[in-house]
Amino acid sequence: MSANYKAELVGVFGQPIAENPTGVMQEAAFAAAGLNWRYINFEVPPDKLGTAMLALDALGMRGINLTIPHKVDVLQYLDDLSPAAKAIGAVNTVRNEGGCKTGENTDGKGFLRGVRRDAGMDPAGKFVTVLGAGGAARAIAAELLMAGVADLLVVNRSPDRGQAMVKDLREATGGPIRFSAWKGTYRVPAGRHLFVNATSIGLYPDVEAAPNIDLTTASPAMLVADAVFNPPETRLLRMARARGLPTLDGLSMLVYQGVIAFELWTGQTPDEDVMKAALRNALGVT
Ligand code: NDP
């Protein structure tokens, strides 16, 4: 048997990129699966994205993740889009099959897998509130609509951004999505099953910040999920737990978006525990 020392390459294009922890968990998963694959963080400025995408073919790379500021600009370099990527209008994962590049968005799918597996909730038929109208909120809302939620209320500070998101996702999915402007304290009404913070409030270094919401009116079993993963233990989640509400942290979404990218690229199922442990270790979470 002759040796094969040629590694398969994937990675991420972004700027800045040095502190992106996804590669740590992907490399741990490749090693655990005995795959000779490498994941490399590439610092790519906006005006070099087109050249970097051509490099996928030149180097025979199997795929790439996109992060800030490339998730929307990359669309022009792709041959095909998944239904979710089309609805969201942004791509965080590309699969390259012999030069044919397909864009997917695994952020919302990762969130949903966390809701199902880590929190044990099936989103179908549920009443959901999503706080925020940025990239993470769009990805989460699109997948929730495609999973058949009964009602999706988007609450955002900037009405223009919130209304644009609702219009786009209603057109793309036909789902039950509506908007409410966020002014002052937002009182979470009874009857909601899931509340998601998809804003950047609480993100490091502003770790004592929490969304200005009132949870006293929420139903006792409402799941409170946070997209913020640094720190994983946000003030919002502490507030929710103090009221006895179940919670889901942003590490869950981060791990599963990586798990889904691994599956897309390799066609195999990774060891999720290995990925979770590598990520927690990289982020210094005990
Ligand atoms: P964007 O910049 O696209 O959107 C930010 C959102 O937060 C907007 O809706 C903005 O409202 C809102 N916002 C920010 N500050 C405030 C404030 N002080 N008061 C009210 N609203 C505020 O960010 P992303 O969508 O890309 O990311 C959002 C969060 O999700 C980040 O913390 C990011 O780290 C996290 N994330 C987590 C992932 C995971 O795997 N766990 C994956 C992707 C993102 P407005 O429109 O009014 O400005």
Side-chain angles (χ1 to χ4, degrees):
M1 195 177 84
S2 63
N4 180 1
Y5 298 112
K6 179 185 167 290
E8 302 296 340
L9 290 181
V10 290
V12 57
F13 294 158
Q15 188 181 50
I17 205 69
E19 290 180 13
N20 190 311
T22 295
V24 174
M25 67 172 171
Q26 295 293 4
E27 292 241 313
F30 293 148
L35 292 173
N36 187 15
W37 284 54
R38 298 287 175 279
Y39 187 107
I40 301 172
N41 286 15
F42 294 100
E43 181 96 24
V44 176
D47 65 330
K48 292 287 190 289
L49 180 63
T51 320
M53 289 303 290
L54 286 175
L56 292 187
D57 291 333
L59 300 176
M61 291 180 70
R62 303 291 291 269
I64 198 77
N65 280 145
L66 289 308
T67 187
I68 292 168
H70 303 312
K71 287 185 180 184
V72 176
D73 283 351
V74 74
L75 296 184
Q76 61 189 300
Y77 305 111
L78 301 177
D79 302 294
D80 202 5
L81 288 178
S82 74
K86 218 175 272 175
I88 298 160
V91 159
N92 77 336
T93 305
V94 171
R95 184 167 160 213
N96 187 22
E97 275 181 296
C100 180
K101 295 179 209 55
T102 306
E104 175 59 281
N105 195 312
T106 67
D107 281 337
K109 287 190 165 61
F111 175 77
L112 245 69
R113 201 178 280 195
V115 167
R116 290 194 170 108
R117 294 219 186 141
D118 295 348
M121 176 185 278
D122 176 3
K126 298 293 190 295
F127 288 71
V128 181
T129 304
V130 172
L131 201 57
R138 276 181 176 252
I140 289 168
E143 293 291 347
L144 285 167
L145 289 166
M146 289 190 280
V149 294
D151 177 62
L152 200 157
L153 177 65
V154 177
V155 178
N156 195 53
R157 176 182 61 180
S158 310
D160 292 356
R161 211 167 171 202
Q163 273 151 359
M165 166 174 157
V166 164
K167 181 172 174 289
D168 290 350
L169 290 185
R170 189 184 291 132
E171 279 172 15
T173 68
I177 182 168
R178 59 202 174 95
F179 174 72
S180 177
W182 183 14
K183 289 185 239 107
T185 305
Y186 180 71
R187 290 168 71 82
V188 181
R192 313 306 290 177
H193 301 101
L194 170 62
F195 179 91
V196 188
N197 174 39
T199 74
S200 43
I201 300 169
L203 182 63
Y204 179 86
D206 206 2
V207 298
E208 281 312 312
N212 184 8
I213 60 167
D214 181 354
L215 288 172
T216 56
T217 39
S219 298
M222 186 184 77
L223 174 65
V224 177
D226 209 329
V228 171
F229 63 84
N230 182 20
E233 171 83 5
T234 59
R235 186 159 161 227
L236 170 66
L237 295 188
R238 286 201 299 275
M239 278 164 46
R241 274 203 295 275
R243 298 209 58 78
L245 301 173
T247 60
L248 180 68
D249 71 28
L251 277 186
S252 161
M253 175 176 172
L254 187 62
V255 167
Y256 287 120
Q257 62 79 27
V259 167
I260 295 165
F262 183 106
E263 291 168 352
L264 279 173
W265 290 330
T266 67
Q268 297 188 23
T269 306
D271 185 330
E272 291 172 8
D273 290 338
V274 164
M275 295 179 83
K276 278 182 197 168
L279 191 62
R280 293 184 88 85
N281 188 39
L283 293 171
V285 184
T286 48

